[in-house]
Amino acid sequence: MGRNSTPYSELKIFYHHELLQNLMNGRRCAPVYIRMKPTNRCNHDCSYCHYRHSYVDLDEYKPNDEIPHDKMMEIISDMADMGVKAITFTGGGEPLLYTYIEEAMEKIVEAGIDLSAITNGSLLKGRKAKLLAKAKWVRISVESLNDAMYCKIRGIKEHSFNELCENIENFARIKEDTCEFGINVVVGKENHQEVRAIAELMKKLGVNHVKFSPLITTATKEYHKEFRRYVTEELTVMQRELTDDKFKVIDLYTGDFDNSVVFERGYSKCFRKEFECVIAANSKVYYCQDTAYMSKGRVCDLSEISFKNGWYSEEVTRKFAEFDAKKVCKHNCAYDSRNELIGSFVNMDLNHINFI
């Protein structure tokens, strides 16, 4: 990855030419990318957790749900048959707590599907770490360098931060070069003065990048008002002084403010749902990350049907055709700008295509 490139580029969709042709022609296609939440169990209790302390109604979320073994193996086989390209294990809960996570990761790699994981890092060791060393990327959230503060935010026993740093350093040492190892920092009132120190430590421990994003609340801009300028200026300086060929500071903090107050869609057609979905710990498929565990976002129930048959069923095909983002998506959408970008491509005036 070059000095100025980023794993968070909004342009990756344009690599998938066949997918874009399907979108332009209105044809159903297999998901390219799946976010899988194998378990809702978690060994942390983060104060900002979307699932345990949510400000939206997750009417289908149960904290002890977990995908059964046979269903998980069936889903992975279906993904391979359908041509799914990539999967991220995420929460829900802590994915590395999932009872069958090692077998699942092994089968995914054997199937030639790109593997990734978002984890709290507490279990990133032993065989789990060795399997994830072959992943395309792994990301951990770190909120503070102060052990007491870190443990308070995460609702865990004190003196856990040093253990996390050991796991990070060890994983950075054993991972393959093709595995992008990143740290996510959710910036809020309690940790905004630590942004530079966090980046410097993580660079020292051997990670590839640190990504900063704002804590989203019901009044995000007001919440960040007192320290927003400080963080933005710090990130600008850090990008200049800390970035090199092996390490990057990625600023999503600045841009996410614009998206955090957008709760309406300016388009009816959501293209993202055509090639990406979420499979949750309750064995249900949802349109996206933002509608996971909401009955209005449910695509199908895999306790009643296989993933492959469910995805291509008449019922799901009808749901997709009738889906209206303006009516359904009354929430902050992490992919709003990407949807608009894809829409501008798919709806392009082909009569003037050569006037580049």
Side-chain angles (χ1 to χ4, degrees), residues 252-293:
L252 298 187
Y253 180 87
T254 304
D256 277 0
F257 280 100
D258 295 331
N259 296 328
S260 70
V261 295
V262 179
F263 290 87
E264 301 285 341
R265 306 283 77 77
Y267 47 83
S268 292
K269 179 74 170 179
C270 171
F271 291 100
R272 190 83 187 179
K273 75 178 191 330
E274 304 292 332
F275 58 88
E276 180 183 339
C277 68
V278 169
I279 301 178
N282 56 9
S283 298
K284 295 177 182 178
V285 181
Y286 296 91
Y287 290 118
C288 64
Q289 177 80 350
D290 293 318
T291 60
Y293 298 109

Side-chain angles (χ1 to χ4, degrees), residues 235-251:
L235 292 176
T236 300
V237 174
M238 289 157 54
Q239 285 183 315
R240 183 174 65 249
E241 296 181 352
L242 298 180
T243 296
D244 55 35
D245 290 337
K246 295 183 179 180
F247 179 80
K248 290 178 175 59
V249 173
I250 298 176
D251 176 13

Side-chain angles (χ1 to χ4, degrees), residues 41-45 52 93-94 97 120 122-123 154-156:
R41 294 186 296 116
C42 194
N43 54 353
H44 287 196
D45 185 21
R52 285 165 175 75
E94 166 51 46
L97 266 180
N120 61 36
S122 63
L123 301 175
R154 296 204 147 254
I156 55 178

Side-chain angles (χ1 to χ4, degrees), residues 1-4 172 175 177 179-182 202-210 242-249:
M1 188 169 67
R3 180 183 175 91
N4 296 318
K175 76 176 186 64
D177 290 341
C179 177
E180 178 77 9
F181 188 22
M202 294 305 147
K203 181 177 183 177
K204 182 179 178 181
L205 293 179
V207 306
N208 300 117
H209 72 263
V210 178
L242 298 180
T243 296
D244 55 35
D245 290 337
K246 295 183 179 180
F247 179 80
K248 290 178 175 59
V249 173

Side-chain angles (χ1 to χ4, degrees), residues 39 41 47 77 101 135 142 152 158 175 289 306:
T39 182
R41 294 186 296 116
S47 58
S77 294
I101 191 63
V142 175
K152 177 184 176 183
E158 291 192 7
K175 76 176 186 64
Q289 177 80 350
S306 71

Side-chain angles (χ1 to χ4, degrees), residues 185-189 191-192 195 212-215 223-224 227 231 253:
V185 182
V186 177
V187 181
K189 291 180 179 179
N191 66 350
H192 71 276
V195 291
F212 294 90
S213 56
L215 176 64
Y223 173 85
H224 288 264
F227 55 89
V231 174
Y253 180 87

Side-chain angles (χ1 to χ4, degrees), residues 321-348:
E322 295 175 353
F323 186 93
D324 187 341
K326 288 184 177 180
K327 296 179 180 178
V328 176
C329 304
K330 304 289 186 179
H331 55 264
N332 173 51
C333 175
Y335 297 112
D336 201 34
S337 59
R338 298 188 190 189
N339 258 330
E340 291 179 341
L341 182 65
I342 297 167
S344 66
F345 177 84
V346 171
N347 298 316
M348 194 172 2

Side-chain angles (χ1 to χ4, degrees), residues 145-162:
L145 303 185
N146 179 283
D147 179 81
M149 180 64 69
Y150 172 79
C151 296
K152 177 184 176 183
I153 292 172
R154 296 204 147 254
I156 55 178
K157 64 180 179 64
E158 291 192 7
H159 311 302
S160 296
F161 184 71
N162 285 342

